[in-house]
Amino acid sequence: TSRTKNALVDALTAYLSVGGNVPGLKEANKPELLTTEHYFTSPIYFTDKPEWIKDLNKASDSYIKQARLNNLKAIKERNKKFGDKGEHPWVHHSGTLINDPQFKALQDYIGATAWNLLDGQGFDLSNHTIFITELWVQEFSKDGGGHHTLHTHWNSHISGFFFLKAGEQTSMPIFEDPRPGHMMNLLPQKDPSKITGASYQVNYKAKPGRLIFFNSYLPHMYAVDNGYKPFRFIHFNIQA
């Protein structure tokens, strides 16, 4: 047990302090610089495109309006049955944006970037074509409570977000370690406020114009939004 180990270490330390000698123990206690190599990493890429915000927000307005109308019946029925909570905690998902010319520049950019990212990771795409399989806009409830539980995107290779309405008071994406073995054997972190090899989650503050890419196998979720400010973003999934 940890108590037994601690007692043994204390005894050996006391023994050494009075001149005892345990072969190899003194050397093992000395910090040694080892060669470190990192494998099986999970990169997250981002850039900022503030010049797209105005046009894509305008293009998204009608989609969000329709999404709210689509959810209106279910919201009213819920409120009638359980009590009026407004639209808490709904998330309004649009239909597909694929082939809408208003989003063509975005589609062209994320498609080309996805190819470059996968190619840069070492994948052979010589016999593959990049397809945007899903592209939609969503907006969290104005009454708060909107969120996403932890999930991945099956049968996709690159996923991402483009934030249209966001800020310090809104939700944000949270990514989680994709290694099941690591998650099953987690030890306590020295300092959870720092990103280290012991970290199992990382979050990215959302801001308008921020564009994020990541491999689709990476588990992610969205923190519960408090409804202080509008939270809207475009989500996409890409397959090779």
Side-chain angles (χ1 to χ4, degrees), residues 3 46 77 82 95 122 126 137 145 150-151 167 181 183 238:
R3 182 177 296 176
F46 66 90
E77 289 176 353
F82 298 109
S126 58
V137 63
L150 191 68
H151 64 284
M183 296 299 290
I238 296 172

Side-chain angles (χ1 to χ4, degrees), residues 6-219:
N6 289 337
L8 179 60
V9 169
D10 290 342
L12 288 171
T13 301
Y15 177 65
L16 290 171
S17 68
V18 295
N21 181 33
V22 178
L25 184 60
K26 286 186 175 180
E27 289 75 11
N29 285 336
K30 294 179 180 178
E32 181 179 349
L33 184 62
L34 303 179
T35 299
T36 303
E37 296 179 344
H38 294 274
Y39 299 105
F40 316 118
T41 59
S42 298
I44 297 174
Y45 312 87
F46 66 90
T47 188
D48 293 314
K49 295 289 183 181
E51 66 272 19
W52 292 353
I53 298 172
K54 182 178 179 180
D55 288 344
L56 292 183
N57 254 324
K58 183 177 180 181
S60 298
D61 284 343
S62 62
Y63 285 94
I64 294 300
K65 182 178 180 180
Q66 185 60 52
R68 276 199 158 88
L69 289 174
N70 293 343
N71 292 329
L72 187 59
K73 181 180 178 181
I75 292 172
K76 285 184 175 180
E77 289 176 353
R78 189 278 309 270
N79 288 344
K80 182 178 180 181
K81 184 175 182 179
F82 298 109
D84 191 358
K85 289 290 185 180
E87 61 176 31
H88 175 97
W90 242 261
V91 177
H92 304 289
H93 296 268
S94 78
T96 183
L97 308 178
I98 296 174
N99 296 325
D100 185 331
Q102 298 177 100
F103 298 90
K104 186 178 185 304
L106 173 65
Q107 293 181 72
D108 290 345
Y109 183 90
I110 62 176
T113 301
W115 196 99
N116 290 335
L117 295 179
L118 291 170
D119 179 71
Q121 289 176 7
F123 293 103
D124 181 4
L125 301 179
S126 58
N127 294 315
H128 292 74
T129 302
I130 291 293
F131 292 96
I132 299 174
T133 56
E134 293 180 291
L135 180 72
W136 76 103
V137 63
Q138 54 188 286
E139 186 164 307
F140 284 15
S141 164
K142 60 183 174 60
D143 296 313
H147 65 283
H148 288 181
T149 56
L150 191 68
H151 64 284
T152 62
H153 292 284
W154 64 277
N155 206 25
S156 295
H157 296 103
I158 293 290
S159 297
F161 320 116
F162 182 66
F163 297 102
L164 294 170
K165 296 181 180 181
E168 292 184 2
Q169 306 101 320
T170 67
S171 178
M172 59 184 171
I174 301 171
F175 297 92
E176 190 164 286
D177 193 319
R179 300 169 296 176
H182 178 63
M183 296 299 290
M184 290 188 293
N185 294 286
L186 281 177
L187 293 169
Q189 299 178 63
K190 291 180 181 178
D191 185 351
S193 68
K194 296 179 180 179
I195 302 300
T196 68
S199 301
Y200 67 93
Q201 284 186 343
V202 62
N203 64 69
Y204 277 74
K205 294 294 185 181
K207 69 174 186 176
R210 173 62 51 89
L211 177 61
I212 295 179
F213 295 84
F214 55 95
N215 290 88
S216 301
Y217 65 75
L218 191 59

